[in-house]
Amino acid sequence: MSSSRYLITTLLVSGALVVGGCATEPEPTAEPAPPQGNIITGEGLPNPTSTVIENWGDLPEGREWGSTAGIDIDPFDGQVWAYERCGAGNFGAGAAVNCDSNPVDPIFKFDRTTGEVLENFGGGVMVTPHGIHVDAEGNVWVTDFAVNEEGTKGHQVHKFSSSGELLMSLGTAGQAGSGPNQFNQPNDVAIGPDGSIYVGDGHNGQGMTTGQAMAAGREAGSTGRIMKFSADGTFIKEWGQIGTLHGEFRTPHALAFDSAGRLFVADRGNHRIEIFDQDGNYLDSRYSYGRISGIFITGDNMLYAIDSESSGTSHPAWSNGVRIGPLNEDRITGFIPPFDSDSRPYQGAAGEGIAVDADGNVYAAEGPNSLSWAGGAFTKYAVGQ
């Protein structure tokens, strides 16, 4: 409303009150409630979980937990699906231990209450699993973002049945690239409402912190894109490149669809969540969640995002941990604190993957930065225990 219109309206209202003999003044408009807590440090924000269960999940005999970045909930029975990197505490090509040199089964299904192993499969297929997604039919999708020395595995997306049968593999095994049937460090995979396959591709953009570095990365073939395939694996389209504009990415690290069919992308290097329709049209962004590694959307339209990467050099002052907020607002209403960490004083260490079960229990998949502080590959943040 312009100032002149506002003045005229005020005079008319004041005159009406005088003529009518009304002695009471209009009640002032209620001020909006101030923000609760500090979204950067988490101080003052409520924690919806009351108990931290470290080193959650049964460990098969003779194995040591490695790092992970992926965890999800089964759509049928509500149990927990996750993977670990075959004993590797770090990740990537050249690791002394990975799922190629130690081909044990990396994919697990856990009983969400007891942590008992219900399924375990996937050995010999991957090098370094990175993202995991369970689709509406119960199939388990996993991205493999590294490559073995022989160049015969890696840079692929694999689809397994719930019992471990390998049903489909996308990408060219062992060959990184920016073509339509190649991946270059695929981070995560999600299945759209119509069965289309979406892949967040390109992990190293997060380290490119200048325009010159980003240009050099693009020239060298590094990717920061979302790729879309039909349900049978046929390439449809892609969008994005390494950059900072909307629709560009510096490591599209995690993907999730909401009930309205919108695609949420954790753009880790740009410290934001980007939202798109299923054709890649930009819709909106969220900036309150930190340097995000994993996201999960619950049935009551709450967004859980886990920050595992904020540090004194990558994102000063921001605390690691889980930030929680209403899906359709850029607002934080809850926070789950990180583990204390000598390597990240004041900021702590938290996992990379996140999932939330039907009772509100939160599960974190511990990455290389948090594994030693968490004490195991998985942590359960339980409600009411």
Side-chain angles (χ1 to χ4, degrees):
M1 179 182 293
S2 69
S3 58
S4 59
R5 289 180 59 194
Y6 177 79
L7 178 59
I8 293 170
T9 302
T10 302
L11 291 172
L12 289 173
V13 171
S14 301
L17 289 174
V18 172
V19 171
C22 180
T24 59
E25 295 183 0
E27 294 184 3
T29 303
E31 292 291 331
Q36 183 182 25
N38 187 322
I39 67 169
I40 295 175
T41 65
E43 295 177 1
L45 288 164
N47 180 356
T49 60
S50 57
T51 304
V52 181
I53 304 174
E54 299 180 18
N55 195 21
W56 181 82
D58 290 348
L59 177 65
E61 186 175 356
R63 288 178 60 169
E64 294 184 5
W65 285 132
S67 72
T68 176
I71 194 163
D72 203 1
I73 302 295
D74 190 285
F76 294 106
D77 59 20
Q79 309 294 8
V80 177
W81 285 95
Y83 68 81
E84 67 87 28
R85 292 173 174 146
C86 306
N90 53 6
F91 64 96
V97 177
N98 56 39
C99 292
D100 182 55
S101 61
N102 183 32
V104 295
D105 293 323
I107 301 170
F108 289 85
K109 184 180 185 181
F110 297 104
D111 184 292
R112 70 186 182 97
T113 302
T114 66
E116 175 189 359
V117 176
L118 304 176
E119 296 284 352
N120 187 204
F121 55 76
V125 177
M126 291 170 282
V127 181
T128 303
H130 195 277
I132 189 169
H133 171 70
V134 186
D135 67 25
E137 298 177 351
N139 300 303
V140 182
W141 298 76
V142 180
T143 66
D144 183 7
F145 89 134
V147 64
N148 62 355
E149 293 183 3
E150 295 79 14
T152 57
K153 295 178 187 175
H155 298 298
Q156 287 192 288
V157 176
H158 302 290
K159 175 185 180 182
F160 297 89
S161 71
S162 59
S163 60
E165 179 185 359
L166 182 60
L167 302 176
M168 180 191 298
S169 296
L170 301 177
T172 305
Q175 302 297 313
S178 56
N181 294 302
Q182 295 175 303
F183 299 115
N184 191 344
Q185 298 180 316
N187 298 300
D188 200 13
V189 55
I191 307 304
D194 65 351
S196 296
I197 306 160
Y198 295 77
V199 179
D201 186 50
H203 191 275
N204 63 344
Q206 63 189 15
M208 300 174 190
T209 58
T210 66
Q212 182 179 8
M214 286 184 274
R218 293 190 296 265
E219 182 68 24
S222 293
T223 55
R225 59 181 176 170
I226 305 299
M227 302 179 71
K228 180 179 179 179
F229 302 83
S230 65
D232 66 2
T234 302
F235 175 77
I236 297 176
K237 68 182 303 181
E238 66 176 73
W239 70 89
Q241 62 176 357
I242 292 175
T244 59
L245 301 177
H246 293 310
E248 298 179 341
F249 310 98
R250 288 193 299 141
T251 306
H253 202 268
L255 310 178
F257 278 95
D258 70 359
S259 59
R262 298 178 299 176
L263 177 63
F264 285 62
V265 180
D267 184 10
R268 185 159 84 177
N270 286 323
H271 307 161
R272 66 188 181 188
I273 296 171
E274 296 275 270
I275 307 171
F276 302 91
D277 68 17
Q278 294 165 44
D279 291 320
N281 297 305
Y282 170 78
L283 301 174
D284 205 352
S285 298
R286 303 286 183 266
Y287 298 98
S288 299
Y289 290 87
R291 190 173 170 92
I292 311 128
S293 289
I295 54 178
F296 191 90
I297 298 171
T298 61
D300 59 350
N301 288 325
M302 294 299 289
L303 176 60
Y304 288 68
I306 190 163
D307 179 344
S308 71
E309 299 297 308
S310 287
S311 69
T313 55
S314 67
H315 203 200
W318 283 71
S319 176
N320 287 209
V322 180
R323 291 179 176 85
I324 307 162
L327 184 65
N328 292 315
E329 302 177 52
D330 198 1
R331 180 167 63 93
I332 304 302
T333 59
F335 180 75
I336 301 175
F339 294 101
D340 290 333
S341 168
D342 292 342
S343 62
R344 294 183 179 186
Y346 313 117
Q347 293 177 283
E352 294 198 21
I354 186 168
V356 185
D357 70 18
D359 294 324
N361 301 304
V362 178
Y363 304 82
E366 305 295 346
N369 291 325
S370 64
L371 180 64
S372 61
W373 307 106
F378 307 104
T379 303
K380 181 176 181 178
Y381 299 92
V383 175
Q385 291 190 11

